[in-house]
Each structure stands twice: as C-alpha cells, then as structure tokens.
Amino acid sequence: MGYFGCHLSATKGNTAMVKTALSIGANTFAFFTRNPRGSKAKKEDPADAARAVAALQAHHFGPLVAHGAYTMNLCTADPEARAFAAEILRDDLRRMAALPGNFYNFHPGSHVGQGVETGVGYIADALRQALAPGYPVTVLLETMAGKGSEIGGKFEELKLILDAVGDSSLGVCLDTCHVYDGGYDIVNNLDGVLTEFDRVVGLDRLKALHLNDSKNPFGSHKDRHACLGDGSLGLDTFRRIVNHPRLRGKPMILETPNELPGYQREIALLRSMEK
Ligand code: FE
Ligand code: FE
Ligand code: ZN
C-alpha cells in the first residue's frame, strides 16, 4: 500500500495533524514549518511532538514531507535578506528534530537576475551551514516549473546544488505539475523522464513526490496546480505514477486546490488506482 497524503494546516499542532490525516485516509502528510508566506514559526511543544511521533508509528505512517516557506529565498540578491533566509532554514531543520526521520522539502530559490551559478552557490552555502549540526531530517530540493528566475526547473540545476553541497543525504522531491510545466513530458513519456532524472541526478536521490495536475499546457513554465484529472496531466498519468516500480512506496503528497473532503476523495482515488 502506498503512502498518500496532502498538505495539512499546522496551526493546531502535530498530533492534531496526525488525527486529521487518519480521518481522511492519509498515511503521510505535508505541512508548512512556518507561515508559508511569511517567516513566523509556531511555539514549540515537545509533548505534542512526542504524542505525534507515537501516533505516526502506531498507524504505520510513511515519512512526512514538511515544506519550507515560499518566502524563504536562499539566493536572493540582498545580503541581509539572504542571511535571514539561511537562518530560517537552519531553524526549520532544528525544529524538525522533534519529528525525527522525516523529510523537509523546499523551493531552491530564485536568483533574481544574478544567474544560476551565483544562485546555486548561495543555496549550497546555506545548505552546508544548516546541515552541519546533523539534525535527523532528510532535506529535499523540489523540482520547479522554471517560472521567472527560479532555480530547479531543470534536473541539471538540482544536480549543481547537490554537487556543490556534497552531502549524499540530500534528496529531491518531484512535483508532477512543476516538471510538466518545466518541459518534462510525464504524460506521454514517464519512463523517458525518469531515465533522464536517473542519468542527471540519480533515482536514488528521489525521495518523495508532489501529485498535482496542471492548469497549463506542457512546457508553459507557469506553476498553477489543478485537481487530479482536471488539468493537462489527466488521471492516466497519475495511475502510471502510483504504480511505477521506481516510484511506488515513496510518499506522494497532494497540493491540489482542495479542502479536506476533496483531499479525502483524491486519496481514495489514488488508492483505487493501485494495482
Ligand atoms: Fe513546493
Ligand atoms: Fe510542490
Ligand atoms: Zn507549484
């Protein structure tokens, strides 16, 4: 049985998220470590985290896939803002130690005209610092749609970051909407895209997926998520993904435009597709 889940609100704490996940048939989930469009983090509650860890184990959850704030741009041009983003990353990884053994995924960042090489250097510097304490979390870079000056729209750019950091524990989270918008045709050639990923990055680095349909056509570099079957990817693509031998067993997180009942339906749909 695969690990399927969705983004959940973290405002009521970790144990509340596990309960919500169970109520919608999820056995993994994602949550923002702090306000997704700001930087404010919640007060830490070790007792709540311990209860959540016990519940995750009791119910055989797969790894969770926490998500860094969208506003955290590790390669922004302003040195002060860049240092602040690096500090947020460090604090997020420290906080993840309360829920050990899970994933922390983030958007690599936008180089805002400084160029990919400069941006990759800044991202790698921040990652090396944040990874130094050795917190029990696996950090994942998300594949991006390549909107504006976003880094991570090409597998080669993720590989540049992985090589610059030089830490073999770093992984990648593949977002289906992003890669399709980014020009990787997972609709007509899923095997070819995975072969390309393996050639450039290595499939052993692929740790989790974001399952989203796309409101835009192939290669649009737009990044607008749609519900499963309501976009240019279509249900057959997701059927192939959940059953692909190189992908099954990895946590698959919905970031579709849904409230909880919609997520519950999509999780049931994904489970019904599993062979
Ligand atoms: Fe994301
Ligand atoms: Fe995503
Ligand atoms: Zn997106």
Side-chain angles (χ1 to χ4, degrees), residues 5 16 27 35 83 98 152 189 195 199 212 218 237 240 258 270-271:
N27 54 358
N35 180 337
N189 190 10
T195 299
R199 185 183 70 79
N212 305 306
F218 177 65
T237 299
R240 284 192 287 272
N258 275 308
L270 292 168
R271 294 205 189 286

Side-chain angles (χ1 to χ4, degrees), residues 103-211:
F103 297 136
Y104 172 91
N105 162 76
F106 73 101
H107 297 180
S110 293
H111 66 68
V112 290
Q114 302 170 97
V116 171
E117 199 184 326
T118 301
V120 164
Y122 289 143
I123 296 165
D125 286 346
L127 275 167
R128 269 194 303 268
Q129 283 179 51
L131 291 168
Y135 295 119
V137 56
T138 301
V139 176
L140 309 182
L141 309 169
E142 182 163 348
T143 60
M144 301 308 294
K147 194 172 57 178
S149 67
E150 250 172 20
I151 296 181
K154 295 198 175 68
F155 298 158
E156 283 82 358
E157 294 173 358
L158 298 174
K159 173 68 170 162
L160 284 175
I161 300 170
L162 295 171
D163 284 350
V165 178
D167 182 323
S168 60
S169 73
L170 263 188
V172 173
C173 175
L174 186 145
D175 184 308
T176 56
C177 165
H178 296 179
V179 292
Y180 191 68
D181 283 17
Y184 294 98
D185 191 358
I186 54 173
V187 172
N188 298 300
N189 190 10
L190 176 61
D191 275 320
V193 172
L194 291 177
T195 299
E196 175 70 358
F197 186 96
D198 196 33
R199 185 183 70 79
V200 176
V201 176
L203 270 172
D204 54 324
R205 297 273 200 165
L206 182 55
K207 307 292 187 192
L209 291 94
H210 285 168
L211 299 189

Side-chain angles (χ1 to χ4, degrees), residues 206-224:
L206 182 55
K207 307 292 187 192
L209 291 94
H210 285 168
L211 299 189
N212 305 306
D213 213 320
S214 172
K215 290 195 171 150
N216 288 291
F218 177 65
S220 59
H221 302 290
K222 281 280 196 336
D223 189 5
R224 296 275 314 282

Side-chain angles (χ1 to χ4, degrees), residues 6-11 14 17 29-38 40-42 65-71 92 95-96 104-107 142 210 255 263:
C6 61
H7 261 275
L8 296 177
S9 162
T11 52
N14 296 312
M17 283 194 287
F29 58 88
F31 61 96
F32 285 104
T33 46
R34 57 189 73 223
N35 180 337
R37 308 207 174 271
K40 211 171 164 314
K42 272 193 20 275
V65 191
H67 200 308
Y70 294 136
T71 45
D92 275 356
R95 286 164 171 272
M96 286 299 292
Y104 172 91
N105 162 76
F106 73 101
H107 297 180
E142 182 163 348
H210 285 168
E255 300 178 309
Y263 280 137

